[in-house]
Amino acid sequence: MQTKKLTVHRPSKKLFTTDKDFGHYLAGIIDADGHFSKLGHVVIAFNLRDIRDAYTIRSLIGYGKVRPVKGKNSVNLIISNKKGASHVANLVRHKLKHPDKIEQYNLRLCELLGLSLEKTSIDTTIDWDSFWFSGFCDADGHLRIHILNRPHRKNHEVRLLCQIDQKGDVLLKQMQLRFGGYLGYRKPLDTYYYSSVSFKGIYSILQYFDKYSSQYTQAYLRYTILRKSYLIIQKKEHLTPKGLDQIVKYRLALKDMI
């Protein structure tokens, strides 16, 4: 196996320095797990484990309330007043990439709020030189480690994965084109999923996160664990009992975060 060399020195976590950076990140979150309601409200869903991040996003926006979702292990950040919704609209304008969210923005925000908002672009092409994918993956991505025992092989097979599920495939196709990997369809659930399947792909994904950091607390921790695992594989130390044991510990740590 030929792995591309990732620098052993993990870059420090990148924080937002401009509204433009935050806007791209927020657009990614909304494209993944948010929507603009028929009332013109901005609604972003968070897993209960990410509730601290919901409050952080609320603080960065400056508007909204975090409310539990009845019967679910999740909370919603809801921005219902016109001033707050208008502020979000200005942040994410021309940065949204999901066709449904673009349509919601143009119909529900621009027409319902009555604030003469400029409509957002209908261009669904992902801007990879931005925090958009970081926000999207924080909200809807899963970084994982699989260890397979192949009886016909001398060593265990280690796989590092990034998996994302969506109702549509417009954005997932672009991720497959960018990072390689597999795009599948689950007929019983009527959902599509993207999964990286090669070390070349996960190398490119880790390189992206080196430049545009995850911001959710657990998502950033998952990235650091996957990165450490890649470095073990890069040095071929996963072929030794000590290296494999360390990756097993990392895998268990990731499972505990689910």
Side-chain angles (χ1 to χ4, degrees), residues 33-245:
D33 223 353
H35 70 276
F36 305 104
S37 77
K38 293 179 180 179
L39 297 174
H41 299 170
V42 181
V43 182
I44 306 173
F46 294 81
N47 189 289
L48 191 58
R49 68 170 179 260
D50 298 319
I51 188 170
R52 289 178 60 187
D53 301 298
Y55 281 105
T56 298
I57 298 299
R58 184 245 172 261
S59 178
L60 289 171
I61 294 173
Y63 299 90
K65 294 183 179 180
V66 177
R67 300 189 181 280
V69 179
K70 188 176 180 179
K72 294 187 177 181
N73 192 37
S74 62
V75 297
N76 284 339
L77 169 60
I78 303 172
I79 301 165
S80 57
N81 68 73
K82 288 186 176 182
K83 191 174 181 180
S86 179
H87 180 58
V88 171
N90 289 328
L91 283 169
V92 304
R93 184 182 298 113
H94 305 319
K95 301 177 182 69
L96 295 166
K97 300 302 175 184
H98 194 296
D100 292 347
K101 313 306 163 68
I102 291 172
E103 183 179 23
Q104 290 170 8
Y105 180 107
N106 288 334
L107 291 179
R108 297 176 178 176
L109 286 190
C110 293
E111 294 185 8
L112 284 176
L113 288 180
L115 297 176
S116 301
L117 289 171
E118 177 189 349
K119 290 188 175 182
T120 191
S121 168
I122 60 172
D123 182 10
T124 60
T125 305
I126 294 172
D127 181 358
W128 294 106
D129 192 20
S130 77
F131 277 92
W132 182 91
F133 181 68
S134 175
F136 190 91
C137 204
D138 276 7
D140 213 21
H142 302 277
L143 299 181
R144 295 173 176 166
I145 299 172
H146 288 177
I147 300 176
L148 307 176
N149 184 9
R150 303 294 194 189
H152 60 286
R153 294 186 181 181
K154 184 178 179 181
N155 299 301
H156 289 74
E157 181 180 349
V158 179
R159 292 182 181 176
L160 308 181
L161 302 174
C162 174
Q163 186 168 313
I164 300 172
D165 295 68
Q166 283 274 293
K167 291 293 290 183
D169 63 355
V170 173
L171 301 176
L172 300 184
K173 284 180 178 178
Q174 296 182 60
M175 294 170 197
Q176 183 186 33
L177 185 64
R178 172 78 177 193
F179 301 120
Y182 179 75
L183 182 61
Y185 174 68
R186 296 187 180 94
K187 189 173 182 179
L189 300 175
D190 189 27
T191 59
Y192 294 88
Y193 66 94
Y194 165 75
S195 180
S196 60
V197 294
S198 70
F199 289 104
K200 179 181 178 181
I202 208 67
Y203 165 83
S204 297
I205 290 171
L206 289 171
Q207 268 206 323
Y208 171 87
F209 285 124
D210 279 356
K211 187 174 182 180
Y212 300 105
S213 303
S214 288
Q215 302 296 315
Y216 285 16
T217 304
Q218 288 207 21
Y220 185 75
L221 184 56
R222 291 188 196 101
Y223 146 74
T224 62
I225 289 174
L226 211 71
R227 198 181 192 284
K228 289 176 181 177
S229 300
Y230 186 94
L231 292 176
I232 290 174
I233 295 167
Q234 180 171 284
K235 293 183 286 187
K236 300 189 184 299
E237 292 176 354
H238 66 297
L239 302 177
T240 68
K242 183 179 179 181
L244 183 61
D245 285 347

